[in-house]
Structure formats: C-alpha cells, structure tokens
Amino acid sequence: MRYENIGGQADLFTEYTELRVQRNSQVNIALLKGDILRNNRSTVGGVSARVFKDGAWGFASDPDIGNESIEGAVRLATRNALFLASRAGNVGAKLPQTSGASSSSGSHDLSTKKTRLAQKDLLDFARAVDSYIAATYPALLSRNVGLGCLDMEKTLLTSEGAEAYSLVPRAILYVNLAMNDAEGNPVELYRAFGGRGQFEDVFTTPFALEEGLDELHGHLVAKAASVYPDAGLRRVILGPDLAGILAHEAIGHTVEGDGVLGGSVAGAYLGKKVASDLVTLVDFAHTALGSTCPVPLWIDDEGTQAKDAVLIEKGLLKSFMHNKETAAKLGAEPTGNARAYAFSDEPLVRMRNTAIVPGTSKLADMIASIDDGYYLMKSSNGQADSTSEFMFGVVLGYEIKGGKLGRAIRDTTVSGVAFDMLKTVTAVSDDMSWGCGGMCGKKQMIPVGMGGPAIACSINIGGR
C-alpha cells in the first residue's frame, strides 16, 4: 500500500508538518495441543499529520487514505497546533532541521520476492511443527505453537523535504513446552524462532526447526530435574538474552531523551563512569557489525536520518537517544529515534536495536573462569525504573561448578542497579546474538531488537 503521490500533498503544509500514511498487517495463529485457538489475519491503516508551532504539537489522524482525508488531517493538526501554541507561551521555540538532503529520503522495502503463501499454508506449517513435537516428545504435559507475522509499512513526507517509504516485516514462531518434574509439578520453557523478514524468507520447512526444538526439549528435561540457586550476590554469566533485556530495560529506557527530561538518573551521569571499560552499548539504527539489524530504521517518523546512538563507550555514558524535541531541549543532535506503532500514534523516542558490543573473550573461557556461579540463559519478563534499578525473571539457567556447567536451576529472578552492576563486568564474549520476538510497551507497543554477547558480572539472584 505504498502511497505513490504523497509528494503532491506538500502544498498543504503551512507550518512544520509530518504527514504519514501507514498500514500494519498481521497474522496470528495459535495452537494448544493441536487445537486451534486463533487463526486470523488483519490490516489496520490510515493517515496522520503532526504539526509543530511555537513549542506546541497538533495531531490528527483518519483511517481513510483518500486525498480528502489527508487534507482534512493536515488542516486539523495545523489548527490544533496553532490553538495550543497561542496558549503555550513559547513563541519562537523551534525544532532542529534534520532533513532536506537526499539522506533523509529513500525507499527500503524488505518484503519477500517469493510467492506469498495463503493463510492455510501458514496454519499447515504451524500444525506440522506441532505434530513433530507431539510425536517426538510424548511425555509432555502441554505444548503451545504460535505464529505471529507483522508488516509495518510507512510512507512519510515532511515540510523539510524528507520523503521516505519503508516496509519492515518480521515473522516469529513461538513454541512453549511443559512437562512434570519428579514431584509432579509442571515446569515449562519457551523459544522464539524467526526474525526480520516475511514468512517466506524467514522459514523454509518445519523440518528445519527440528534441531532447535530438540535443543529446547533438552533444556526442559534438564529443568525438570533442576535445583534452587543459592540466593545472594553471585558471579554469573548473562547469556545474550539476559544481556539484551538488561541493555533495553535497565539502561535503554533511562537514556531515552524524554526519560532524561522526566528525571532519569542518567541525566546526571553524562560523561561519567557507569560501567566497566569492557562495556560499550549502542542503539543501532539499521546495521550492526556488518549485518542488517532485526528492526532496521533508516529514516525515522520525523524524517530524520537514523544513526547509531553510542550510549556507553568503554564504560563512559556518552549520549542519549533523541527525537527532534528532546534534542532541542537538551542541546544535542537528533538521532532518528522517533517511532510510532500505528497510523493513529504520535512518534515517541523509542529504541531500535539495543545491545552491548561484543568483546574478545570466549564463552568457554568465561565459564571456566568461574568456580561457583551460574550461567543464566533466558529471561521471562522484566521491569526497571528511572534509577536503573531492575528485576528480571530467569526461566533457564545452569550452575557453574569448578569452571564447568552443572545442573539446571529453577525459575528465579535477578536484580540490581544497572549502572552499578555494569561496573562489575569482567569479560564480554566475542560472539553476538539478536532477538526481536518481543514488543516494547512504552505507551504504545512496538517491535524492537535486543541482544548482545554474553557478559560475566556480579548480580543478585533469588533462591528458595
């Protein structure tokens, strides 16, 4: 649904204006022990306009995408901005100009070139995965298989001359398995397969997932014989999944420009030591370490060319993530972090692909260096606040005894203050793993990428 003639709407603009035509298309399939719980496909789209005047924003949206609706949205957003500006008392407030050059325009279409599959084909794929699980692991208590596909398609025009189109898809297959432990208590474990791209590019055949499913089941069996970890401050290795949620939740949200303006502790730490010299943390725009990121963004929803935001560099807090407004208020350059989930949403300062940069250590050597600790591999959920204090659930982990992996541990939690905990990092692995199966819920849900290497650190872990 590329809106080909959006450039012809520029004559409607009398103030700073962003015009966005957007469509989100989703597929949602869910099976429980082979029974279909959900099997639907939906598309939601429309047009929105956002206008800035003297420090005030006006916004309007319409689910129709005709010329009349576009004109109406622009005119209403303009009236709203003028009305609010007349009462805001910020005459002369301006936004930094970031577009007008060719770098703020372009087309990035990541849709598949293959023949698109029908809904029935997607359902049959999920059923084939479920059938393999049922036949191969008969002792399971329960099994869930879900398929979620999301295409975010946007056409943007701004009064500064930015004109851009993007279609960024993802396809994720979720598998959750459960079985009883020796005492008859249920234990469960999940894994998300897939990532950036439409289904036809991400998945080939159900058979290609068998190795990953076998690995998931093997961890579940180990978890069924798990032991409680010893509570307290412990030496641990956080796998990429835990390192990723730490980078996103505990650090990332504290260094978003609007969070800093709202009183985040990071505001007082700029230029100061907040982590070990081994830690460099970046919110990548579209390319990381030579590869396209899970959620690439070339031009944000304000028409700003997206660039990497180096948040922590060798332990020093270097910068924040910005849209135009937070950059103006904090005396910085916009980083292209303005993102909106739906056509009816206003862009907010949002992360894109946040991760600690790989180091030079080998994971095997990191494990061997710990005499008594834990290797924590997978998180369930987490929360953090503006002080960088965090608590995350851990659903997969193993003991480290004498430098070797031991028994699996029961579900637990880890907690701490991220800007203190990162100072305890003693090793960062040389590999990198990304995930994009989740959604960030800051006011509006939106896909994000997170991940990283494994890191060795000290952290508080829960016990019995």
Side-chain angles (χ1 to χ4, degrees):
M1 186 211 64
R2 181 169 184 164
Y3 190 79
E4 296 290 351
N5 63 338
I6 195 169
Q9 307 294 339
D11 291 342
L12 299 171
F13 303 161
T14 59
E15 307 291 345
Y16 170 90
T17 304
E18 302 157 4
L19 175 64
R20 174 166 40 97
V21 179
Q22 181 173 345
R23 181 176 67 178
N24 290 354
S25 301
Q26 297 190 69
V27 170
N28 194 329
I29 293 172
L31 306 176
L32 174 61
K33 299 176 72 172
D35 294 331
I36 300 174
L37 298 182
R38 287 187 301 276
N39 181 25
N40 58 60
R41 183 186 294 257
S42 64
T43 298
V44 177
V47 59
S48 67
R50 195 168 72 136
V51 175
F52 183 86
K53 177 67 174 177
D54 290 341
W57 288 99
F59 182 80
S61 64
D62 194 309
D64 185 31
I65 308 178
N67 288 340
E68 185 176 335
S69 298
I70 290 175
E71 181 178 353
V74 172
R75 295 195 186 284
L76 180 56
T78 302
R79 287 200 301 270
N80 291 340
L82 294 175
F83 173 79
L84 293 171
S86 69
R87 287 155 174 77
N90 294 317
V91 177
K94 295 184 180 301
L95 298 173
Q97 184 170 346
T98 60
S99 52
S102 59
S103 60
S104 294
S105 299
S107 177
H108 297 90
D109 185 349
L110 302 188
S111 59
T112 183
K113 302 302 186 288
K114 300 177 181 177
T115 302
R116 298 307 310 271
L117 297 177
Q119 185 81 4
K120 180 181 181 301
D121 298 319
L122 305 185
L123 177 60
D124 288 345
F125 186 97
R127 279 175 157 166
V129 172
D130 179 77
S131 295
Y132 174 81
I133 294 170
T136 310
Y137 323 123
L140 290 176
L141 181 66
S142 181
R143 62 186 191 276
N144 297 74
V145 176
L147 176 64
C149 302
L150 171 64
D151 297 349
M152 296 186 68
E153 186 176 17
K154 301 180 180 183
T155 308
L156 178 73
L157 178 71
T158 76
S159 57
E160 293 185 338
E163 185 173 344
Y165 171 81
S166 65
L167 193 158
V168 178
R170 74 170 186 176
I172 306 291
L173 185 84
Y174 303 89
V175 177
N176 190 85
L177 307 181
M179 66 184 303
N180 284 327
D181 64 14
E183 300 174 354
N185 300 311
V187 294
E188 59 183 326
L189 196 58
Y190 76 95
R191 179 168 173 177
F193 299 85
R196 184 194 67 253
Q198 291 181 317
F199 180 91
E200 294 79 5
D201 291 331
V202 174
F203 297 104
T204 53
T205 69
F207 307 107
L209 300 178
E210 290 179 2
E211 181 178 351
L213 294 169
D214 292 344
E215 181 181 352
L216 173 64
H217 181 258
H219 286 306
L220 180 65
V221 171
K223 187 175 175 180
S226 60
V227 296
Y228 286 103
D230 294 328
L233 184 65
R234 310 287 295 177
R235 288 299 297 171
V236 305
I237 295 172
L238 302 181
D241 186 82
L242 269 297
I245 195 171
L246 174 77
H248 177 95
E249 293 287 355
I251 300 297
H253 283 304
T254 69
V255 292
E256 290 171 325
D258 51 354
V260 174
L261 290 170
S264 160
V265 68
Y269 290 167
L270 191 62
K272 297 181 180 179
K273 190 83 167 177
V274 295
S276 159
D277 292 345
L278 300 173
V279 176
T280 293
L281 191 153
V282 180
D283 182 62
F284 293 98
H286 50 78
T287 305
L289 308 176
S291 299
T292 303
C293 293
V295 184
L297 185 70
W298 289 271
I299 299 167
D300 78 357
D301 291 341
E302 294 180 334
T304 300
Q305 181 186 16
K307 59 184 180 181
D308 296 346
V310 180
L311 307 172
I312 299 174
E313 185 174 27
K314 296 181 178 179
L316 294 178
L317 184 61
K318 297 291 289 187
S319 67
F320 305 132
M321 291 171 279
H322 292 292
N323 62 9
K324 290 182 177 180
E325 186 172 17
T326 64
K329 290 180 177 179
L330 292 170
E333 292 292 325
T335 52
N337 281 86
R339 303 177 63 205
Y341 174 67
F343 78 94
S344 54
D345 291 327
E346 293 190 67
L348 305 174
V349 181
R350 304 302 297 265
M351 280 172 271
R352 300 155 306 186
N353 306 274
T354 315
I356 294 173
V357 175
T360 59
S361 297
K362 299 295 183 183
L363 177 59
D365 294 335
M366 292 165 61
I367 293 173
S369 71
I370 295 179
D371 184 60
D372 185 12
Y374 298 96
Y375 178 35
L376 307 178
M377 300 175 63
K378 187 172 288 294
S379 64
S380 57
N381 49 40
Q383 62 183 29
D385 61 25
S386 60
T387 68
S388 86
E389 186 174 4
F390 65 88
M391 177 178 286
F392 303 139
V394 178
V395 296
L396 179 63
Y398 288 86
E399 297 176 319
I400 302 176
K401 297 292 186 183
K404 296 181 179 180
L405 293 181
R407 299 168 295 180
I409 60 173
R410 299 200 177 204
D411 288 356
T412 186
T413 60
V414 291
S415 61
V417 176
F419 286 132
D420 293 334
M421 187 276 289
L422 287 178
K423 294 175 183 176
T424 72
V425 172
T426 56
V428 178
S429 73
D430 61 358
D431 54 355
M432 179 77 176
S433 178
W434 284 103
C436 67
M439 303 277 276
C440 176
K442 176 186 173 182
K443 297 184 180 179
Q444 49 184 258
M445 304 298 286
I446 204 164
V448 291
M450 63 181 79
I455 61 173
C457 61
S458 295
I459 203 167
N460 288 302
I461 188 169
R464 185 183 296 270

